[in-house]
Structures are given as structure tokens and as C-alpha cells.
Amino acid sequence: TMRDMLRRKLTVFYQQHDPSKLNDGLDAVINYGLTNGLNTLNSGLKRKYGASLESLNNNTNVIDHSEADKAFLRQKLEIYYLKHEPSKLDKPEDIQAVLEWILLYGTEKLNVKLKSKYGEGLYGPSKKDAKEQLVAFYKARGVNKTSEEVDDLIEWGMEYGFCLLNQSLVKKYHIGLGELDL
């Protein structure tokens, strides 16, 4: 999770800059970073210690351990947009831009924006919502898929990405999830 990623980064940071923080206050700093975003956290660290989490990149590969966290967030974003704005899946670079925004500003700020626009936060949509969208897509195309076939597609989308699944649909049906009024 993002919390685990931030804990790893902050542990290495505080080992170098302020080991006393490892025993007291680390959870508060993690919560602050998750709520206010990495930019704000890094600014505060830089003011206090003259270094930020970004400076770890030169000394350790901790920053690179976040690939699993990014993959998890990408998956959540794709499911979210599959439910609320499927046309976003037509442009993987849009999903990447939102992912980068989350890493800079935090999920809490994104949730405020998403709730304002769509009435639901990032962690609201689920596999069930994704399944409803795919069932509606196939129904609109006159294609009969069993529940098990749709479940398999959902699992494939969870593993490889719903942007890629959407690209496959466009290739096969000449229309993607974002092009239908579901």
C-alpha cells in the first residue's frame, strides 16, 4: 500500500537524518504525507533536515520499491474510471497523469476532487462495478458472455490493466468502453 511505501522511504530517511523519529512520531509523519501529499511532506523535510525523500534516490533504491504501490493505485484508478468515466481508459497517459498527481499530492486530495465530480471516492468502485460495466458493454454489442467469462475478463483486467482490456475490445469490436452510452 501507499502507507507501506511511505514507511519504507521514511525509515531510510530517518535512519540517515534523525533516528529518534523511528521510535516516536513515524506514524504521524506517514499520516501527514498521505493526507497532504509527497510535495508537502518533502517541503517540510527539506526545511527541517535540508533533504527530502527525493534525495534518497541517489543513495538507495528505496524510491524504486514503489512499483507495487503504483500498480495497486493504477488498478484502483482503472476500476474507478471504468465505472465513472470509461473514456479515460482510451488514453493510458491520462491514467498515468492522475497516478503521478496522486504521488505528488496524496489520495486524500484526489478523493475530494473525485467525490466532488462523481460523488464517490477512489476506493468506492469494486470488481462488481467493473463487471456491471462489461456486462452492459457486451449486451449493447449483442454479445452473450457467461458470468464466468466476464469474471475471467475482470481478473485479466486486474492483472494486466483495464486500459489494455479496453484496447482489446476496440480491436475486436471497433468500439471501446468509453464510446458507448452505458
Side-chain angles (χ1 to χ4, degrees), residues 14-164:
Y14 284 124
Q15 284 171 341
Q16 295 173 7
H17 298 283
D18 188 358
S20 67
K21 273 284 198 203
L22 295 171
N23 298 324
D24 185 34
L26 187 60
D27 286 327
V29 176
I30 291 168
N31 289 336
Y32 179 83
L34 291 173
T35 301
N36 298 296
L38 291 180
N39 275 352
T40 305
L41 176 61
N42 276 325
S43 294
L45 292 172
K46 196 159 191 106
R47 267 193 313 276
K48 185 167 184 175
Y49 300 102
S52 68
L53 296 178
E54 294 167 348
S55 65
L56 294 175
N57 214 10
N58 298 328
N59 303 321
T60 178
N61 64 359
V62 170
I63 297 293
D64 296 332
H65 285 120
S66 65
E67 290 308 311
D69 301 308
K70 288 180 186 176
F72 172 77
L73 278 173
R74 176 179 292 283
Q75 184 182 82
K76 293 305 294 177
L77 283 169
E78 288 180 352
I79 289 174
Y80 188 88
Y81 286 120
L82 179 59
K83 178 179 180 183
H84 292 289
E85 195 174 334
S87 62
K88 288 259 191 207
L89 299 176
D90 294 338
K91 296 181 181 175
E93 62 273 12
D94 288 352
I95 301 292
Q96 183 63 33
V98 175
L99 178 60
E100 290 171 9
W101 192 93
I102 291 172
L103 295 174
L104 289 173
Y105 301 106
T107 55
E108 291 302 317
K109 287 186 180 179
L110 178 69
N111 273 328
V112 169
K113 289 178 171 283
L114 293 175
K115 285 178 182 176
S116 171
K117 186 171 182 177
Y118 303 105
E120 183 173 41
L122 181 62
Y123 296 102
S126 65
K127 285 183 183 181
K128 179 180 174 255
D129 295 309
K131 184 173 184 174
E132 288 173 5
Q133 293 295 318
L134 281 173
V135 167
F137 173 84
Y138 284 116
K139 185 176 180 181
R141 300 295 300 150
V143 176
N144 291 323
K145 291 277 186 189
T146 66
S147 182
E148 292 78 23
E149 288 173 315
V150 174
D151 288 341
D152 288 345
L153 286 169
I154 297 295
E155 291 305 315
W156 190 93
M158 298 289 285
E159 185 170 346
Y160 299 105
F162 287 95
C163 287
L164 207 56

